[in-house]
Amino acid sequence: MNLPDMPHTVAAAFAQVPRSVRARLLDIRRLIFEFSERMGTVGPVTEALRWGEPAYLTQITKSGTTIRLGRSRSAPKDAAIFFNCQTSLVEEFRIQFADEFLFEKNRAVIIPHRRALPENAVKFCLCWALTYHLGECRKQRADS
């Protein structure tokens, strides 16, 4: 898959993040675009800045909720994936992946820098967020 060109504002935001965290966040960015390309119901993902952080939205299909990438104040050496705090996503992830991630309240999944990227768990979290209004990934998890 060829990743889309990154908007200049988003590239500038990534450049502000320490190299070790940035590499992990860019891996997560790649997973977002790979997943959205594979899932026909998600449609194209819009990449923009929200609250000064790279954000990913399903603006055309409205299938999902916004995903932001950055660092948490509570764990600045770790990569964080932020989700809309008005959803139940982080609480669901806390139940499913307590051994994979750290969590910040009801807003973020934190991936400790000393661990390998738990790619399957991250993919599943991204799936839930990008299809939040469709419930597709929740159905898959319940069936498995």
Side-chain angles (χ1 to χ4, degrees), residues 1 3-4 14 24-39 42-48 54-58 65-70 80-83 117 119 122-127 129-130:
M1 162 184 203
L3 290 175
F14 274 118
R24 182 156 283 188
L25 294 176
L26 290 172
D27 283 342
I28 297 166
R29 175 186 185 264
R30 174 185 50 80
L31 293 174
I32 290 169
F33 284 108
E34 284 177 1
F35 174 79
S36 67
E37 185 177 90
R38 216 175 51 248
M39 288 289 289
V42 170
V45 170
T46 301
E47 184 173 32
Y56 303 86
L57 306 89
T58 57
T65 186
T66 301
I67 299 167
R68 287 184 299 120
L69 302 180
I81 307 171
F82 295 93
F83 301 95
L117 181 68
E119 198 165 305
V122 169
K123 285 178 184 178
F124 195 78
C125 293
L126 298 175
C127 176
L130 292 170

